[in-house]
């Protein structure tokens, strides 16, 4: 499941992202409505979680999403909890409405229920970049049709990079989301596994997909 969260509170967004990752729900974050629109125009999502108390107008963004991607469920997550606020949210096209403070487990249950309604039966979870494909249900990776054998940790790392394709992910992000650990600055563990992936995913191909951004982290993208 691939979900976009539009939320201007970085701390809350990070907590939601980590909680969702543990549930195998992969969250991409936009911190304002303009970034949210740009990301939506680049990638497809199974659902959107939207804080309507954004710089700009969250209600307008909700309406924009439902105009352009009518089948994508939108869950409004906001501190605005009056009846009038809820009416405005549903009039803008929201499929569900949850007020802050909230229980993380309830958010998970609601987003799973919303997404399930819009998924065809037995729909596979599938991601692709160039000629690299990942079947997330079977955990099968192929490059130009060739099967790539990966260890579980190599697969988890590649899947995390694919979920964030085009974005730079830092070492601390990888440690927290793939190893579920705090970053230890004196270890080269991530570098070792990135090299494992490069040998298996990139070495035999002209188009390199795994890139190091010096001082910032790693990204999965076409050259």
């Amino acid at each position: 499941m691939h979900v976009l969260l539009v939320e201007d509170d970085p701390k809350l967004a990070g907590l939601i992202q980590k909680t969702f990752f543990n549930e195998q729900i992969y969250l991409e974050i936009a911190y304002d409505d303009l970034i949210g629109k740009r990301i939506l125009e680049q990638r497809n999502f199974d659902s959107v979680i939207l804080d309507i108390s954004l710089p700009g107008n969250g209600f307008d963004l909700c309406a924009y999403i439902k105009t352009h991607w009518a089948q994508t469920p939108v869950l409004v997550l906001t501190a605005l909890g009056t009846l009038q606020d809820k009416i405005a949210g549903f009039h803008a096209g929201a499929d569900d409405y949850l007020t802050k403070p909230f229980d993380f487990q309830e958010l998970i249950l609601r987003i799973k229920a919303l997404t399930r309604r819009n998924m065809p039966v037995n729909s596979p979870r599938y991601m692709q970049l160039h000629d690299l494909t990942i079947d997330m249900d079977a955990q099968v990776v192929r490059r130009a049709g060739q099967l790539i054998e990966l260890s579980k940790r190599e697969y988890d790392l590649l899947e995390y990079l694919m979920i964030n394709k085009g974005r730079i992910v830092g070492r601390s992000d990888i440690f927290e989301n793939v190893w579920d650990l705090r970053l230890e600055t004196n270890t080269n563990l991530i570098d070792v596994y990135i090299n494992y992936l490069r040998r298996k995913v990139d070495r035999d191909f002209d188009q390199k997909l795994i890139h190091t951004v010096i001082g910032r982290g790693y990204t999965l993208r076409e050259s």
Side-chain angles (χ1 to χ4, degrees):
M1 193 186 303
H2 197 185
V3 178
L4 175 65
L5 171 66
V6 188
E7 167 62 61
D8 63 346
D9 181 342
K11 184 177 180 181
L12 176 60
L15 289 171
I16 295 173
Q17 185 177 51
K18 186 168 184 179
T19 303
F20 274 32
F21 187 80
N22 292 335
E23 293 286 326
Q24 293 189 324
I25 302 172
Y26 301 100
L27 198 71
E28 192 158 345
I29 301 170
Y31 295 106
D32 62 39
D33 57 338
L34 294 178
I35 295 173
K37 284 182 182 179
R38 189 157 60 242
I39 292 174
L40 282 160
E41 288 164 356
Q42 295 171 351
R43 291 182 280 287
N44 295 322
F45 292 89
D46 297 310
S47 54
V48 177
I49 302 172
L50 171 63
D51 180 2
I52 52 176
S53 304
L54 292 168
N57 190 312
F59 291 117
D60 286 349
L61 178 57
C62 184
Y64 178 85
I65 294 169
K66 300 307 287 190
T67 298
H68 291 82
W69 302 277
Q71 298 304 312
T72 301
V74 176
L75 183 149
V76 167
L77 182 67
T78 179
L80 302 176
T82 70
L83 178 59
Q84 291 305 312
D85 293 325
K86 293 178 182 179
I87 290 171
F90 284 116
H91 279 175
D95 298 276
D96 200 357
Y97 198 106
L98 183 62
T99 56
K100 301 174 183 177
F102 61 93
D103 184 275
F104 283 91
Q105 192 59 41
E106 181 179 1
L107 177 59
I108 289 168
L109 291 172
R110 286 184 182 227
I111 207 66
K112 282 183 175 180
L114 280 179
T115 303
R116 192 162 52 241
R117 291 177 207 162
N118 288 272
M119 277 188 173
V121 176
N122 298 324
S123 171
R125 297 183 302 152
Y126 180 86
M127 293 187 294
Q128 180 169 355
L129 175 66
H130 190 53
D131 57 356
L132 176 67
T133 62
I134 299 180
D135 180 336
M136 297 169 68
D137 291 318
Q139 296 193 351
V140 170
V141 177
R142 287 186 169 85
R143 181 90 195 256
Q146 301 176 28
L147 182 65
I148 297 176
E149 297 286 352
L150 299 176
S151 69
K152 182 180 186 308
R153 192 68 75 184
E154 290 167 351
Y155 173 83
D156 290 344
L157 176 55
L158 182 62
E159 185 182 82
Y160 183 68
L161 291 173
M162 179 69 92
I163 289 161
N164 291 280
K165 62 185 177 183
R167 295 177 57 206
I168 299 170
V169 290
R171 293 163 59 83
S172 59
D173 295 325
I174 294 172
F175 255 109
E176 288 187 19
N177 290 287
V178 177
W179 272 266
D180 199 24
L181 295 170
R182 292 288 181 183
L183 174 64
E184 296 185 23
T185 55
N186 61 345
T187 180
N188 68 340
L189 186 62
I190 292 174
D191 307 283
V192 169
Y193 273 86
I194 287 289
N195 286 332
Y196 290 161
L197 283 182
R198 281 192 168 121
R199 285 201 295 269
K200 295 183 177 183
V201 172
D202 273 347
R203 184 176 61 183
D204 297 330
F205 300 91
D206 293 334
Q207 173 73 278
K208 308 306 179 187
L209 301 178
I210 301 170
H211 303 273
T212 301
V213 183
I214 297 173
R216 299 177 66 187
Y218 304 94
T219 183
L220 192 71
R221 59 172 171 77
E222 296 182 48
S223 299

